[in-house]
């Protein structure tokens, strides 16, 4: 009798009111405000939030004027920090800015890539990468959105928390919260949810018993498909016992501290670069989107059950330094064949990525919470399955030679 392998994997998501996510949303709201008026703005914006204070810092070069304090307060209002009793108030908090221009040394390498300076060619496709580094994209066939199940379920729970708070379905909820989901895998396939942890900020009047009952019945069971919940699934709701003080009042938040929440929940590797607050000349953002697009279309084309792609760049150079694909033994052709396929069919230069996805527009605040990938609620260009047929056709042609 063959014994099935049994493994457990855990991923986390946080709500839009989590202090680190507040910082991400402010940074991307500033970026969007810049791009709305100047699509060629160069933005590298970092935000710190703490008790009664928002500090926006970074390097920004633009021809437009943006009222940053106004953008910050509107973002906090949308999240739900509208009353001092929540520990943070969009109307009364201090907003400080510390903005400089983008370094001329960086700008020179981005505006004209090494290849351009060597050949004399010019054009929107000839910009150089905004920094060195490596980026990863990932996809798998565990869910309809080609995402790992643990992070997909964690996002569903945190989004349901926000919906229940904003609709008034659970009126005592406050903006801060997080969810953690542990999924049991049998022979590499997700079969059940083993453990769910939910911590949510709440008003001081409500009892722990009420919170537990409501979170299990109205949040977890509403967000997680019944097929994954078993009689022995474990639930931990506010396991510390009390979560009244939350948000920036309870913990400081900084842009870029939830990069695993933003991506694949730890199921895939990560190059370390955050997305939020960066315009798309920064390959931390644009190349990660392109890598996800490629990986997702490889899996959608039936060429692998899961796929991870790494791409790396040198600052000021347009062409990637390297491209690496790993299908973890699930590919119908070799990983080296898939690598050559991508090199011959997909232009991974930053300028080409920006043009292909139309990235010089204000689309970023909407993905600053609940993940940048697998978003079936949004029409994101890097989530489209517009390369799958091309990949299948090219693989067939290669096999016929």
């Amino acid at each position: 009798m063959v014994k099935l392998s049994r493994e457990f994997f855990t991923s986390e998501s946080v709500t839009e009111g989590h202090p680190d996510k507040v910082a991400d949303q402010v940074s991307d709201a500033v970026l969007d405000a810049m791009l709305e008026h100047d699509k060629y703005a160069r933005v590298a914006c970092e935000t710190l939030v703490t008790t009664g204070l928002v500090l926006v810092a970074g390097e920004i070069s633009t021809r437009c004027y943006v009222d940053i304090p106004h953008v910050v307060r509107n973002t906090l209002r949308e999240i739900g920090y509208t009353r001092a009793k929540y520990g943070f108030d969009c109307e009364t908090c201090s907003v400080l800015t510390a903005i400089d221009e983008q370094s001329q040394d960086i700008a020179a390498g981005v505006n004209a890539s090494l290849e351009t300076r060597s050949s004399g060619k010019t054009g929107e496709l000839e910009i150089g990468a905004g920094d060195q580094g490596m980026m990863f994209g990932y996809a798998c066939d565990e869910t309809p959105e080609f995402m790992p199940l643990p992070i997909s379920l964690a996002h569903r729970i945190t989004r349901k928390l926000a919906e229940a708070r904003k609709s008034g379905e659970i009126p005592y909820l406050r903006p801060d919260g997080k969810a953690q989901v542990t999924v049991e895998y049998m022979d590499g396939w997700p079969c059940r949810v083993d453990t769910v942890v939910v911590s949510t900020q709440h008003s001081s009047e409500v009892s722990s018993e009420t919170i537990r009952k409501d979170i299990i019945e109205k949040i977890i069971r509403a967000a997680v498909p019944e097929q994954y919940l078993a009689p022995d699934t474990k639930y931990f709701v506010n396991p510390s016992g009390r979560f009244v003080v939350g948000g920036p009042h309870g913990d400081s938040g900084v842009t870029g501290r939830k990069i695993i929440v933003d991506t694949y929940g730890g199921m895939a590797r990560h190059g370390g670069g955050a997305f939020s607050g960066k315009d798309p000349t920064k390959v931390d953002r644009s190349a990660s989107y392109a890598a996800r697009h490629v990986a997702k279309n490889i899996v959608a084309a039936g060429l692998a059950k899961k796929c991870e792609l790494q791409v790396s760049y040198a600052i000021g150079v347009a062409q990637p330094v390297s491209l690496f694909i790993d299908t973890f033994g699930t590919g119908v052709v070799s990983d080296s064949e898939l690598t050559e396929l991508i090199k011959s069919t997909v232009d991974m230069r930053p300028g080409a990525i920006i043009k292909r996805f139309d990235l010089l527009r204000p689309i970023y605040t909407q993905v600053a919470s609940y993940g940048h990938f697998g978003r079936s609620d949004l029409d994101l260009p890097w989530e489209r399955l517009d390369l799958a047929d091309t990949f299948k056709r090219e693989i067939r042609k290669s096999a016929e030679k």
Side-chain angles (χ1 to χ4, degrees), residues 333 337 341 392-401:
V333 297
E337 287 179 82
L341 168 70
K392 286 188 285 189
R393 182 176 64 250
E394 291 302 315
I395 290 294
R396 276 198 306 268
K397 285 167 59 176
S398 177
E400 291 168 0
K401 289 182 181 179

Side-chain angles (χ1 to χ4, degrees), residues 172 206-215:
Y172 56 78
V206 65
S207 68
S208 297
E209 293 75 17
T210 297
I211 296 171
R212 177 178 172 80
K213 180 177 181 296
D214 285 346
I215 294 303

Side-chain angles (χ1 to χ4, degrees), residues 52-364:
L53 173 66
V54 179
L55 171 63
V56 180
E59 297 76 46
I60 297 176
S61 297
T62 182
R63 297 171 300 197
C64 70
Y65 169 76
V66 168
D67 185 345
I68 291 178
H70 179 72
V71 171
V72 170
R73 295 187 194 283
N74 278 346
T75 304
L76 296 173
R77 188 176 296 109
E78 284 290 317
I79 293 169
Y81 284 116
T82 56
R83 301 180 67 185
K85 68 183 295 185
Y86 298 166
F88 205 73
D89 183 0
C90 64
E91 301 292 347
T92 60
C93 68
S94 296
V95 180
L96 304 180
T97 60
I99 305 294
D100 284 321
E101 286 189 316
Q102 183 185 51
S103 160
Q104 291 301 310
D105 295 341
I106 295 175
V110 174
N111 294 340
S113 67
L114 178 67
E115 296 92 329
T116 298
R117 299 193 296 275
S118 301
S119 67
K121 291 181 180 179
T122 59
E124 61 182 355
L125 300 184
E126 304 304 324
I127 66 171
D131 202 352
Q132 70 178 47
M134 64 282 190
M135 299 83 212
F136 288 89
Y138 181 82
C140 61
D141 62 356
E142 292 179 17
T143 62
E145 60 270 25
F146 297 92
M147 290 288 285
L149 184 64
I151 187 65
S152 180
L153 294 180
H155 282 323
R156 290 181 67 164
I157 290 171
T158 52
R159 289 187 68 185
K160 186 63 180 174
L161 274 174
E163 291 168 7
R165 169 176 60 87
K166 292 180 176 181
S167 70
E169 180 184 4
I170 305 181
Y172 56 78
L173 293 181
R174 300 293 182 257
D176 195 359
K178 54 174 62 177
Q180 183 175 286
V181 178
T182 301
V183 172
E184 180 182 2
Y185 285 76
M186 299 293 286
D187 273 1
W189 188 253
C191 61
R192 63 182 279 275
V193 170
D194 180 76
T195 306
V196 181
V197 183
V198 176
S199 294
T200 180
Q201 187 186 9
H202 57 86
S203 67
S204 58
E205 298 83 14
V206 65
S207 68
S208 297
E209 293 75 17
T210 297
I211 296 171
R212 177 178 172 80
K213 180 177 181 296
D214 285 346
I215 294 303
I216 292 176
E217 294 302 323
K218 297 179 180 180
I219 302 297
I220 298 173
R221 294 192 183 279
V224 179
E226 188 177 354
Q227 70 197 69
Y228 293 118
L229 295 177
D232 59 346
T233 296
K234 298 179 285 292
Y235 303 100
F236 295 94
V237 177
N238 282 10
S240 69
R242 181 179 168 86
F243 190 179
V244 173
V245 178
H249 181 50
D251 191 11
S252 62
V254 180
T255 300
R257 281 208 301 212
K258 283 290 177 280
I259 56 177
I260 299 302
V261 172
D262 288 338
T263 53
Y264 309 101
M267 187 68 79
R269 285 168 280 198
H270 198 293
F275 302 155
S276 291
K278 297 177 181 178
D279 75 78
T281 65
K282 281 73 171 174
V283 283
D284 281 335
R285 170 163 243 154
S286 53
S288 294
Y289 292 169
R292 160 65 177 177
H293 185 232
V294 168
K296 183 176 182 180
N297 276 269
I298 285 174
V299 175
L303 301 178
K305 293 181 69 62
K306 54 184 174 180
C307 176
E308 182 182 78
L309 181 146
Q310 184 205 58
V311 59
S312 66
Y313 293 86
I315 187 169
V317 180
Q319 288 290 349
V321 173
S322 69
L323 189 71
F324 173 80
I325 288 178
D326 189 353
T327 60
F328 309 94
T330 69
V332 300
V333 297
S334 69
D335 293 345
S336 60
E337 287 179 82
L338 289 175
T339 301
E340 292 306 313
L341 168 70
I342 302 312
K343 287 181 177 179
S344 64
T345 58
V346 183
D347 192 340
M348 295 293 283
R349 293 176 297 168
I353 295 169
I354 291 169
K355 183 177 181 181
R356 182 160 69 247
F357 296 151
D358 190 17
L359 294 180
L360 299 178
R361 54 195 175 108
I363 59 173
Y364 300 107

Side-chain angles (χ1 to χ4, degrees), residues 30-43 60-68 99:
V30 171
L31 170 63
D32 279 350
M34 299 285 178
L35 293 178
E36 186 175 359
H37 301 287
D38 176 11
K39 70 177 185 177
Y40 296 111
R42 297 289 166 76
V43 181
I60 297 176
S61 297
T62 182
R63 297 171 300 197
C64 70
Y65 169 76
V66 168
D67 185 345
I68 291 178
I99 305 294

